Amino acid sequence: KKNITTMSFINVTISTHETETRLITKEIATCEDAATVSSEERQPLTSGKVLQVPVVFTPGVDRCCCGCCGFCGYTIPQGFVALVNRHGRYVGQWRDGFYYAPPWVSISHLLPCRSFNFNSSIRECPTKDNCMVAVAVSLKFHISTEEEKGCYNFCYRLGPRGLEEMLKAFCEETIRGMFRKKTWKEAYAYIQDESDTDKKTLADQRRELNDHFQQFGVVIETLSIQGVHLPREYEETMKAVKGFEKTSNEKAAAAEYRAPDLWEDK
């Protein structure tokens, strides 16, 4: 599976050690620390593993100040945008570089200028014939740091946790609607045989997500289904069917290979 090293797929089956993403705000001592902090932190969960991905960094008050003029120095790492406050109120943004500012100016948030992977599992999703399946969903997004208003709304109004909850809600509604129209066999074969209707559904969902999150500067780049997990008894049925088909095909091929020998003159 792309971008997930702890999930393995046999046909379209998700392993029992699933990995989900948690979008978090990471506290750091200084702005420079944002460039060196690990981008992913794995924490164990009772039902699998969670991958904590910092989307926003909040630096502390540790800064280098000049003793003669009282001004403080800030270094914004390359690939980050800083949200600047004056007396605790937002006044603008700083791109990467070094800045001098009076002590009443501070950095409230740092936003990385990169894309993030978000993975989630939709559990107990009923099919048309009432088989409960689990669906692994993956999407990639970024925060448009070129849009100042979007950055402000994301950091001060939405935040990583709010984004995570809304992404899960949107994805769950779409996936449940898609698989409610499929039989369990169609669900099992989904990865190998994705229909044009399903592709259109996911594309429409991505556009809807982008329209909804536009005010927060969030851009959904890709949205896809990475795997479908069936109950054990259904998986065993499909394996038995595939084993029977394989054996039948091998016997048919062997018989076809030997057929010309029957017509040879002895």
Side-chain angles (χ1 to χ4, degrees), residues 14-31:
I14 308 172
S15 74
T16 55
H17 300 289
E18 298 175 1
T19 300
E20 294 195 10
T21 305
R22 294 290 181 271
L23 306 180
I24 65 171
T25 298
K26 181 75 174 179
E27 295 182 0
I28 53 178
T30 66
C31 294

Side-chain angles (χ1 to χ4, degrees), residues 24-91:
I24 65 171
T25 298
K26 181 75 174 179
E27 295 182 0
I28 53 178
T30 66
C31 294
E32 295 94 321
D33 292 339
T36 58
V37 169
S38 173
S39 62
E40 297 180 346
E41 299 178 0
R42 298 181 185 275
Q43 299 292 336
L45 285 182
T46 55
S47 59
K49 293 183 179 180
V50 61
L51 191 63
Q52 294 188 349
V53 179
V55 180
V56 177
F57 295 89
T58 54
V61 295
D62 186 15
R63 54 198 172 188
C64 178
C65 296
C66 178
C68 39
C69 65
F71 274 48
C72 302
Y74 295 90
T75 300
I76 309 303
Q78 186 176 6
F80 288 84
V81 171
L83 274 64
V84 185
N85 287 4
R86 181 183 292 120
H87 295 297
R89 297 188 64 180
Y90 173 79
V91 293

Side-chain angles (χ1 to χ4, degrees), residues 13 49 74 93 129 135 154 174 191 199:
T13 303
K49 293 183 179 180
Y74 295 90
Q93 294 182 4
D129 41 8
V135 184
F154 179 77
T174 299
I191 299 300
K199 293 178 182 179

Side-chain angles (χ1 to χ4, degrees), residues 123-143:
R123 295 180 173 83
E124 295 187 355
C125 183
T127 62
K128 184 191 297 185
D129 41 8
N130 293 321
C131 171
M132 294 297 179
V133 301
V135 184
V137 183
S138 179
L139 60 83
K140 179 183 286 188
F141 72 93
H142 70 269
I143 310 300

Side-chain angles (χ1 to χ4, degrees), residues 15 46 71 78 89 97 112 114 117 120 144 147 154 159 165 169 200 205 220 225 240 251 253 259 266:
S15 74
T46 55
F71 274 48
Q78 186 176 6
R89 297 188 64 180
R114 69 177 185 88
N117 293 310
S120 181
S144 180
E147 298 291 336
F154 179 77
E165 292 176 353
K200 183 178 183 302
Q205 174 68 7
I220 309 299
I225 293 175
K251 290 181 178 179
K266 301 297 184 183

Side-chain angles (χ1 to χ4, degrees), residues 197-209 223:
T197 301
D198 292 333
K199 293 178 182 179
K200 183 178 183 302
T201 300
L202 292 176
D204 291 342
Q205 174 68 7
R206 187 175 69 85
R207 283 191 292 269
E208 184 178 347
L209 284 169
L223 173 62

